[in-house]
Amino acid sequence: MCPTERLDAEDGLARAAALLQVGETIAFPTETVYGLGADATDGAAVARIYEAKSRPSFNPLIVHVGSVQAACRLIDLPDPGLRLAEAFWPGPLTLVAPMRPDSGIADLVTAGLPTLAVRVPAHPLASRLIEASGLPLAAPSANPSGRISPTTAAHVLDGLEGRIAAVLDGGACPVGLESTIVHVSPEGTTLLRPGGVPAEEISRITGDLLEDASDEITAPGRLASHYAPASRLRLNAHNSHSDEVMLGFGSTASDLNLSPSGDLREAAANLFAHLRALDRLAAGRMIAVAPIPDAGLGAAINDRLRRAAAPR
Ligand code: TXA
Ligand code: MG
């Protein structure tokens, strides 16, 4: 396959949009993580995403659009979906709702589900790419399936060099964790994946969230083992053993610290990059991880850490 083009934030935008319009896959920055985008209305383009990621094809994709109105052309947003959209878009929230029959979205995007996942990203480069291409963009995180999500263009190339047409470089992603995924229906609101918008902020608008009762795995971010570094992880460690490297939080002694001041937002932004760096440093040893408080963004951080630590 051809080498992957590295596109600059300023000069590369038109090139990236043009590649999307001819059915190529482009990695682009969002405020959460880098996405691997393709025209969501073009089944062959979407197939290239699955191919590049080696992703099991039963896992549906999130469609990225530029506005609440554009989202409402794709899905029916029953109350309180619209209130959530107005409160958190653009931003790190994905809403899953019934897909409209005239959405034009390729079947491969939903993997046959009657619902569609949609979000309006807040990153300026993502917004400009959606606008310049004039397309709804299907985009999973831009990593090989099962590996750590990328928060820089270099991470994208580590996993997908030669497998995608281009990467649009917008520097490091400010949030660093994937979007919160919420299913909205008249029966109630269900948290499918914790993420960049804390669950407490969602329920402030919707009232209590329903338990996610589905045993069908429709979200790979919900597979027990996911986001996995090559090294094994030991969680809630107060210090490291001699044969371990240490990922700290707050005042713990460590090889790398998610946030020396104990700031969960900073920890989220550093999580995936630090896991990658420690994975290299560990060279086969175990990674010990300091306890992270479980409130707010900490719930999403702990969710990712538990999956990274799960037996494979
Ligand atoms: O922050 C994010 O959400 C990033 C950026 C690129 O937007 N994207 C991302 O995509 O994390 P991905 O594919 O790695 O995770 C999307 C999750 C998957 O677990 C997928 O199964 C789930 O969304 N999903 C998509 N459509 C769904 C649907 N109709 N019902 C339930 N889950 C769905
Ligand atoms: Mg992913």
Side-chain angles (χ1 to χ4, degrees), residues 143-171:
N143 50 283
S145 196
R147 309 310 301 192
I148 303 173
S149 294
T151 54
T152 66
H155 296 164
V156 172
L157 291 168
D158 273 352
L160 297 177
E161 167 75 70
R163 304 180 64 88
I164 60 176
V167 55
L168 185 60
D169 190 346

Side-chain angles (χ1 to χ4, degrees), residues 30 32-35 53 55 59-62 64 94 96 113 115-117 119 139-141 177-179 181 192-193 218-222:
T30 80
T32 59
V33 300
Y34 274 71
K53 283 183 62 95
R55 182 177 211 174
N59 291 328
L61 305 176
I62 298 173
H64 299 66
T94 294
V96 174
L113 294 174
T115 53
L116 179 68
R119 87 179 187 96
S141 51
L177 277 179
E178 297 88 345
S179 60
I181 306 182
L192 297 181
R193 178 178 73 182
T218 49
R222 297 155 70 199

Side-chain angles (χ1 to χ4, degrees), residues 171-183:
C173 301
V175 176
L177 277 179
E178 297 88 345
S179 60
T180 301
I181 306 182
V182 164
H183 179 257

Side-chain angles (χ1 to χ4, degrees), residues 2 28 77 140 143 197 205 224 226 240 258 267 279:
C2 298
F28 64 96
L77 265 187
N143 50 283
V197 177
I205 291 190
H226 200 65
S240 58
L258 290 170
D279 208 15

